[in-house]
Amino acid sequence: MASIDIGIDLGTATVLVYLGNKGIVLKEPSVVALNMNTNEILSVGEEAYRMIGRTPNYIRAIRPLEDGVISDYDTTEQMIKYFLKKVTGGAILRPRVSVCVPSGITEVESNAVIDAAVAAGARKVYLIEEPVAAAIGAGIDITRPNGVLIVDVGGGTCDIAMLSLSGIVSKTSIKVAGNRFDEAVIRHIRNNHNILIGERTAEMIKQEIGNVFVADQRVTTVIKGRNLVNGLPQKLEISQADIYEPLNELAMQIVHSIQQVLERTPPELVGDVYNNGVLMTGGGSLIRGLPELITQQLHIRASIAENPIECVAIGTGKSFSFIGELQDGFVGITGQSRNH
Ligand SMILES: Nc1ncnc2c1ncn2[C@@H]1O[C@H](COP(=O)(O)OP(=O)(O)OP(=O)(O)O)[C@@H](O)[C@H]1O
Ligand SMILES: [Mg+2]
């Protein structure tokens, strides 16, 4: 049996797995469906995602990672085990595993991730912070003395970090990311149209017509939900302008956090950001208008990485080449590795 290195991007919305010799081999929603009577796992990933909002009482489709951190330890462990088994077929002997975590993670949460990976069969576990993984995945040479500003907008967290010389110079992590945009759409449609929609519909609306920079009346979509007054199903046409305000408000929170990180960054590195711009990664960065809004508000160029959704997983998988630096105190990798 072979031993190999595995990188896991343990995201709130999606889990991606990178196998040392193959690249990304798995990309599935971080959802687990549980039988509430027996506590048994019914399905994981894609299949469980299709059950969201459509389950009978005794089944619950849950996201074990809330806001980018582990909120349900047992289920997360089961999920990691399931995905590792799926990609290795049980044929890889005790792999070294690198797991990407949000940069605001606490020690207790870090330990929970390490324990889950060890319980799932890992021989050694390394934790890498999301912006560092994102930068490696985007092909940036993070060892140079040249400031790089990374903004990773995921489903649960937005991680903003100023990197230079393999380390994080200043950073912040806020819980304003893709899910919050979906919730804002649900709330807005309920309050303004008396229609209740599910989270999958909200995500679809966001992706189809959401824009945080432009509010065009002519860009519309038809949604279906439940009328809260008479309880009946109802169709409604909504426009980009309709949902612009709540989305823009959240995007402005991201802009302010970037500004705060810049304020805490030494002037030489801020100068680098003016030259290099901001690099955005994560699925949440794909909401329309976000780079334009950042550029307008902060007067710095913002661009989206070539492969924003997979970038963190690629960087996590490639992070093993930095382990030498990790042992010399590579700042970007938080957790101690644990032998087991
Ligand atoms: N085209 C798109 N437009 C807008 N949002 C998008 C688009 N594609 C994906 N998203 C959003 O990206 C988010 C998921 O991004 P990603 O997969 O990077 O998150 P994650 O890594 O699982 O989360 P986190 O890093 O916070 O733990 C979801 O909220 C999804 O709705
Ligand atoms: Mg992520």
Side-chain angles (χ1 to χ4, degrees), residues 9-14 68 130 152-157 178-179 182 203 206-207 282-284 286-287 309:
D9 173 7
L10 197 58
T12 309
T14 318
E130 195 151 13
D152 178 85
V153 190
T157 55
N179 296 347
D182 300 344
E203 185 178 17
K206 172 187 74 176
Q207 297 192 1
L286 293 173
I287 187 153
I309 295 183

Side-chain angles (χ1 to χ4, degrees), residues 48-126:
Y49 177 72
R50 285 198 294 269
M51 293 184 177
I52 289 184
R54 298 170 191 272
T55 53
N57 283 343
Y58 75 98
I59 299 178
R60 266 187 66 204
I62 59 168
R63 292 183 180 276
L65 296 138
E66 203 82 58
D67 294 331
V69 296
I70 294 191
S71 62
D72 183 331
Y73 175 75
D74 285 341
T75 316
T76 303
E77 184 178 317
Q78 296 297 327
M79 187 171 78
I80 295 177
K81 269 190 188 159
Y82 174 90
F83 286 140
L84 278 179
K85 187 145 185 242
K86 189 165 177 181
V87 298
T88 63
I92 294 173
L93 197 61
R94 316 216 70 176
R96 286 194 306 176
V97 176
S98 167
V99 187
C100 169
V101 294
S103 62
I105 197 164
T106 65
E107 203 180 321
V108 173
E109 289 160 354
S110 300
N111 288 338
V113 174
I114 294 172
D115 290 346
V118 168
R123 166 166 51 102
K124 254 187 168 191
V125 187
Y126 302 91

